PDB file of all heavy atoms in Angstrom:
ATOM      1  N   MET A  26     126.488 110.281 109.168  1.00 96.00           N
ATOM      2  CA  MET A  26     125.203 109.621 109.288  1.00 96.00           C
ATOM      3  C   MET A  26     124.611 109.446 107.890  1.00 96.00           C
ATOM      4  O   MET A  26     124.755 110.320 107.035  1.00 96.00           O
ATOM      5  CB  MET A  26     124.262 110.490 110.139  1.00 96.00           C
ATOM      6  CG  MET A  26     122.856 109.982 110.226  1.00 96.00           C
ATOM      7  SD  MET A  26     121.598 111.063 111.033  1.00 96.00           S
ATOM      8  CE  MET A  26     122.480 112.021 112.209  1.00 96.00           C
ATOM      9  N   ASN A  27     123.966 108.339 107.652  1.00 98.00           N
ATOM     10  CA  ASN A  27     123.219 108.123 106.419  1.00 98.00           C
ATOM     11  C   ASN A  27     121.788 108.596 106.643  1.00 98.00           C
ATOM     12  O   ASN A  27     121.146 108.200 107.623  1.00 98.00           O
ATOM     13  CB  ASN A  27     123.215 106.650 106.029  1.00 98.00           C
ATOM     14  CG  ASN A  27     124.574 106.189 105.560  1.00 98.00           C
ATOM     15  OD1 ASN A  27     125.427 106.985 105.207  1.00 98.00           O
ATOM     16  ND2 ASN A  27     124.782 104.886 105.559  1.00 98.00           N
ATOM     17  N   ILE A  28     121.296 109.438 105.743  1.00 98.00           N
ATOM     18  CA  ILE A  28     119.947 109.998 105.862  1.00 98.00           C
ATOM     19  C   ILE A  28     119.162 109.665 104.606  1.00 98.00           C
ATOM     20  O   ILE A  28     119.605 109.966 103.493  1.00 98.00           O
ATOM     21  CB  ILE A  28     120.001 111.530 106.057  1.00 98.00           C
ATOM     22  CG1 ILE A  28     120.795 111.884 107.314  1.00 98.00           C
ATOM     23  CG2 ILE A  28     118.590 112.105 106.129  1.00 98.00           C
ATOM     24  CD1 ILE A  28     121.021 113.377 107.499  1.00 98.00           C
ATOM     25  N   LEU A  29     117.996 109.061 104.778  1.00 98.00           N
ATOM     26  CA  LEU A  29     117.089 108.800 103.670  1.00 98.00           C
ATOM     27  C   LEU A  29     116.478 110.137 103.251  1.00 98.00           C
ATOM     28  O   LEU A  29     116.045 110.909 104.098  1.00 98.00           O
ATOM     29  CB  LEU A  29     115.996 107.846 104.156  1.00 98.00           C
ATOM     30  CG  LEU A  29     115.263 107.013 103.134  1.00 98.00           C
ATOM     31  CD1 LEU A  29     116.215 106.011 102.503  1.00 98.00           C
ATOM     32  CD2 LEU A  29     114.105 106.292 103.791  1.00 98.00           C
ATOM     33  N   VAL A  30     116.456 110.437 101.951  1.00 98.00           N
ATOM     34  CA  VAL A  30     115.958 111.720 101.470  1.00 98.00           C
ATOM     35  C   VAL A  30     115.056 111.505 100.260  1.00 98.00           C
ATOM     36  O   VAL A  30     115.396 110.724  99.356  1.00 98.00           O
ATOM     37  CB  VAL A  30     117.128 112.656 101.073  1.00 98.00           C
ATOM     38  CG1 VAL A  30     116.621 113.968 100.493  1.00 98.00           C
ATOM     39  CG2 VAL A  30     118.029 112.931 102.265  1.00 98.00           C
ATOM     40  N   SER A  31     113.930 112.202 100.240  1.00 98.00           N
ATOM     41  CA  SER A  31     113.083 112.175  99.045  1.00 98.00           C
ATOM     42  C   SER A  31     113.907 112.632  97.846  1.00 98.00           C
ATOM     43  O   SER A  31     114.474 113.728  97.854  1.00 98.00           O
ATOM     44  CB  SER A  31     111.875 113.098  99.213  1.00 98.00           C
ATOM     45  OG  SER A  31     110.944 112.578 100.128  1.00 98.00           O
ATOM     46  N   ALA A  32     113.977 111.795  96.829  1.00 98.00           N
ATOM     47  CA  ALA A  32     114.800 112.091  95.659  1.00 98.00           C
ATOM     48  C   ALA A  32     114.399 113.406  94.998  1.00 98.00           C
ATOM     49  O   ALA A  32     115.251 114.131  94.478  1.00 98.00           O
ATOM     50  CB  ALA A  32     114.709 110.937  94.662  1.00 98.00           C
ATOM     51  N   CYS A  33     113.122 113.744  95.032  1.00 98.00           N
ATOM     52  CA  CYS A  33     112.685 114.993  94.398  1.00 98.00           C
ATOM     53  C   CYS A  33     113.328 116.208  95.063  1.00 98.00           C
ATOM     54  O   CYS A  33     113.576 117.222  94.397  1.00 98.00           O
ATOM     55  CB  CYS A  33     111.166 115.112  94.412  1.00 98.00           C
ATOM     56  SG  CYS A  33     110.414 115.152  96.050  1.00 98.00           S
ATOM     57  N   LEU A  34     113.639 116.114  96.360  1.00 98.00           N
ATOM     58  CA  LEU A  34     114.279 117.226  97.070  1.00 98.00           C
ATOM     59  C   LEU A  34     115.732 117.392  96.654  1.00 98.00           C
ATOM     60  O   LEU A  34     116.356 118.413  96.949  1.00 98.00           O
ATOM     61  CB  LEU A  34     114.179 117.027  98.582  1.00 98.00           C
ATOM     62  CG  LEU A  34     112.762 117.050  99.139  1.00 98.00           C
ATOM     63  CD1 LEU A  34     112.779 116.733 100.639  1.00 98.00           C
ATOM     64  CD2 LEU A  34     112.075 118.373  98.867  1.00 98.00           C
ATOM     65  N   LEU A  35     116.265 116.395  95.955  1.00 98.00           N
ATOM     66  CA  LEU A  35     117.623 116.473  95.425  1.00 98.00           C
ATOM     67  C   LEU A  35     117.602 116.858  93.941  1.00 98.00           C
ATOM     68  O   LEU A  35     118.623 116.828  93.275  1.00 98.00           O
ATOM     69  CB  LEU A  35     118.346 115.142  95.622  1.00 98.00           C
ATOM     70  CG  LEU A  35     118.449 114.671  97.070  1.00 98.00           C
ATOM     71  CD1 LEU A  35     119.072 113.286  97.134  1.00 98.00           C
ATOM     72  CD2 LEU A  35     119.220 115.666  97.921  1.00 98.00           C
ATOM     73  N   GLY A  36     116.413 117.201  93.451  1.00 98.00           N
ATOM     74  CA  GLY A  36     116.265 117.638  92.074  1.00 98.00           C
ATOM     75  C   GLY A  36     115.896 116.550  91.086  1.00 98.00           C
ATOM     76  O   GLY A  36     115.732 116.825  89.897  1.00 98.00           O
ATOM     77  N   VAL A  37     115.743 115.311  91.540  1.00 98.00           N
ATOM     78  CA  VAL A  37     115.362 114.219  90.648  1.00 98.00           C
ATOM     79  C   VAL A  37     113.912 114.436  90.194  1.00 98.00           C
ATOM     80  O   VAL A  37     113.028 114.692  91.015  1.00 98.00           O
ATOM     81  CB  VAL A  37     115.517 112.848  91.343  1.00 98.00           C
ATOM     82  CG1 VAL A  37     115.030 111.720  90.450  1.00 98.00           C
ATOM     83  CG2 VAL A  37     116.965 112.633  91.769  1.00 98.00           C
ATOM     84  N   CYS A  38     113.672 114.321  88.917  1.00 98.00           N
ATOM     85  CA  CYS A  38     112.339 114.571  88.343  1.00 98.00           C
ATOM     86  C   CYS A  38     111.444 113.350  88.517  1.00 98.00           C
ATOM     87  O   CYS A  38     111.188 112.598  87.568  1.00 98.00           O
ATOM     88  CB  CYS A  38     112.466 114.958  86.880  1.00 98.00           C
ATOM     89  SG  CYS A  38     113.335 116.516  86.636  1.00 98.00           S
ATOM     90  N   CYS A  39     110.961 113.148  89.743  1.00 98.00           N
ATOM     91  CA  CYS A  39     110.137 111.973  90.041  1.00 98.00           C
ATOM     92  C   CYS A  39     108.810 112.343  90.701  1.00 98.00           C
ATOM     93  O   CYS A  39     108.037 111.453  91.052  1.00 98.00           O
ATOM     94  CB  CYS A  39     110.917 110.990  90.913  1.00 98.00           C
ATOM     95  SG  CYS A  39     111.504 111.671  92.473  1.00 98.00           S
ATOM     96  N   ARG A  40     108.519 113.638  90.853  1.00 97.00           N
ATOM     97  CA  ARG A  40     107.244 114.050  91.448  1.00 97.00           C
ATOM     98  C   ARG A  40     106.089 113.683  90.522  1.00 97.00           C
ATOM     99  O   ARG A  40     106.271 113.413  89.345  1.00 97.00           O
ATOM    100  CB  ARG A  40     107.238 115.558  91.709  1.00 97.00           C
ATOM    101  CG  ARG A  40     108.263 115.966  92.753  1.00 97.00           C
ATOM    102  CD  ARG A  40     108.186 117.438  93.081  1.00 97.00           C
ATOM    103  NE  ARG A  40     106.949 117.683  93.815  1.00 97.00           N
ATOM    104  CZ  ARG A  40     106.141 118.711  93.562  1.00 97.00           C
ATOM    105  NH1 ARG A  40     106.408 119.576  92.617  1.00 97.00           N
ATOM    106  NH2 ARG A  40     105.045 118.857  94.265  1.00 97.00           N
ATOM    107  N   TYR A  41     104.891 113.728  91.045  1.00 97.00           N
ATOM    108  CA  TYR A  41     103.703 113.350  90.278  1.00 97.00           C
ATOM    109  C   TYR A  41     103.606 114.118  88.957  1.00 97.00           C
ATOM    110  O   TYR A  41     103.135 113.597  87.960  1.00 97.00           O
ATOM    111  CB  TYR A  41     102.425 113.555  91.109  1.00 97.00           C
ATOM    112  CG  TYR A  41     102.049 115.007  91.267  1.00 97.00           C
ATOM    113  CD1 TYR A  41     101.131 115.594  90.402  1.00 97.00           C
ATOM    114  CD2 TYR A  41     102.627 115.801  92.243  1.00 97.00           C
ATOM    115  CE1 TYR A  41     100.806 116.935  90.514  1.00 97.00           C
ATOM    116  CE2 TYR A  41     102.305 117.126  92.363  1.00 97.00           C
ATOM    117  CZ  TYR A  41     101.386 117.695  91.503  1.00 97.00           C
ATOM    118  OH  TYR A  41     101.060 119.018  91.609  1.00 97.00           O
ATOM    119  N   ASN A  42     104.086 115.360  88.939  1.00 97.00           N
ATOM    120  CA  ASN A  42     103.985 116.192  87.738  1.00 97.00           C
ATOM    121  C   ASN A  42     105.243 116.120  86.861  1.00 97.00           C
ATOM    122  O   ASN A  42     105.394 116.893  85.928  1.00 97.00           O
ATOM    123  CB  ASN A  42     103.684 117.635  88.113  1.00 97.00           C
ATOM    124  CG  ASN A  42     104.745 118.251  89.006  1.00 97.00           C
ATOM    125  OD1 ASN A  42     105.766 117.639  89.316  1.00 97.00           O
ATOM    126  ND2 ASN A  42     104.493 119.474  89.447  1.00 97.00           N
ATOM    127  N   GLY A  43     106.135 115.193  87.174  1.00 97.00           N
ATOM    128  CA  GLY A  43     107.322 114.977  86.371  1.00 97.00           C
ATOM    129  C   GLY A  43     108.477 115.919  86.661  1.00 97.00           C
ATOM    130  O   GLY A  43     109.448 115.952  85.908  1.00 97.00           O
ATOM    131  N   THR A  44     108.396 116.650  87.747  1.00 98.00           N
ATOM    132  CA  THR A  44     109.457 117.592  88.102  1.00 98.00           C
ATOM    133  C   THR A  44     110.195 117.132  89.354  1.00 98.00           C
ATOM    134  O   THR A  44     109.751 116.233  90.063  1.00 98.00           O
ATOM    135  CB  THR A  44     108.889 119.004  88.377  1.00 98.00           C
ATOM    136  OG1 THR A  44     108.081 118.956  89.572  1.00 98.00           O
ATOM    137  CG2 THR A  44     108.064 119.513  87.214  1.00 98.00           C
ATOM    138  N   GLY A  45     111.311 117.799  89.613  1.00 98.00           N
ATOM    139  CA  GLY A  45     112.003 117.693  90.894  1.00 98.00           C
ATOM    140  C   GLY A  45     111.780 118.997  91.635  1.00 98.00           C
ATOM    141  O   GLY A  45     111.220 119.943  91.081  1.00 98.00           O
ATOM    142  N   GLU A  46     112.200 119.031  92.859  1.00 96.00           N
ATOM    143  CA  GLU A  46     112.042 120.249  93.650  1.00 96.00           C
ATOM    144  C   GLU A  46     113.273 120.401  94.536  1.00 96.00           C
ATOM    145  O   GLU A  46     113.188 120.275  95.756  1.00 96.00           O
ATOM    146  CB  GLU A  46     110.756 120.193  94.483  1.00 96.00           C
ATOM    147  CG  GLU A  46     110.318 121.542  94.982  1.00 96.00           C
ATOM    148  CD  GLU A  46     108.912 121.515  95.555  1.00 96.00           C
ATOM    149  OE1 GLU A  46     107.946 121.377  94.782  1.00 96.00           O
ATOM    150  OE2 GLU A  46     108.798 121.618  96.791  1.00 96.00           O
ATOM    151  N   GLU A  47     114.426 120.622  93.886  1.00 97.00           N
ATOM    152  CA  GLU A  47     115.686 120.708  94.621  1.00 97.00           C
ATOM    153  C   GLU A  47     115.569 121.732  95.746  1.00 97.00           C
ATOM    154  O   GLU A  47     115.096 122.844  95.545  1.00 97.00           O
ATOM    155  CB  GLU A  47     116.815 121.098  93.677  1.00 97.00           C
ATOM    156  CG  GLU A  47     118.169 121.047  94.342  1.00 97.00           C
ATOM    157  CD  GLU A  47     119.292 121.271  93.348  1.00 97.00           C
ATOM    158  OE1 GLU A  47     119.323 120.558  92.318  1.00 97.00           O
ATOM    159  OE2 GLU A  47     120.128 122.144  93.612  1.00 97.00           O
ATOM    160  N   ASN A  48     116.017 121.318  96.934  1.00 97.00           N
ATOM    161  CA  ASN A  48     115.917 122.156  98.122  1.00 97.00           C
ATOM    162  C   ASN A  48     117.317 122.426  98.652  1.00 97.00           C
ATOM    163  O   ASN A  48     118.052 121.489  98.993  1.00 97.00           O
ATOM    164  CB  ASN A  48     115.058 121.446  99.176  1.00 97.00           C
ATOM    165  CG  ASN A  48     114.854 122.268 100.402  1.00 97.00           C
ATOM    166  OD1 ASN A  48     115.747 122.368 101.244  1.00 97.00           O
ATOM    167  ND2 ASN A  48     113.684 122.873 100.520  1.00 97.00           N
ATOM    168  N   GLU A  49     117.662 123.690  98.735  1.00 96.00           N
ATOM    169  CA  GLU A  49     119.019 124.080  99.130  1.00 96.00           C
ATOM    170  C   GLU A  49     119.381 123.584 100.531  1.00 96.00           C
ATOM    171  O   GLU A  49     120.489 123.096 100.755  1.00 96.00           O
ATOM    172  CB  GLU A  49     119.151 125.608  99.065  1.00 96.00           C
ATOM    173  CG  GLU A  49     120.557 126.100  99.338  1.00 96.00           C
ATOM    174  CD  GLU A  49     120.665 127.614  99.212  1.00 96.00           C
ATOM    175  OE1 GLU A  49     120.040 128.185  98.307  1.00 96.00           O
ATOM    176  OE2 GLU A  49     121.377 128.206 100.036  1.00 96.00           O
ATOM    177  N   ARG A  50     118.466 123.689 101.496  1.00 95.00           N
ATOM    178  CA  ARG A  50     118.757 123.226 102.867  1.00 95.00           C
ATOM    179  C   ARG A  50     119.040 121.728 102.879  1.00 95.00           C
ATOM    180  O   ARG A  50     119.950 121.266 103.563  1.00 95.00           O
ATOM    181  CB  ARG A  50     117.602 123.553 103.803  1.00 95.00           C
ATOM    182  CG  ARG A  50     117.536 124.999 104.221  1.00 95.00           C
ATOM    183  CD  ARG A  50     116.488 125.216 105.303  1.00 95.00           C
ATOM    184  NE  ARG A  50     115.153 124.844 104.860  1.00 95.00           N
ATOM    185  CZ  ARG A  50     114.285 125.674 104.297  1.00 95.00           C
ATOM    186  NH1 ARG A  50     114.610 126.930 104.101  1.00 95.00           N
ATOM    187  NH2 ARG A  50     113.088 125.272 103.940  1.00 95.00           N
TER     188      ARG A  50
END
Side-chain angles (χ1 to χ4, degrees):
M26 174 188 331
N27 289 342
I28 301 174
L29 203 66
V30 177
S31 288
C33 62
L34 295 176
L35 302 175
V37 176
C38 295
C39 58
R40 295 184 70 224
Y41 74 95
N42 59 4
T44 67
E46 198 168 289
E47 187 173 307
N48 183 282
E49 185 178 321
R50 283 188 300 268

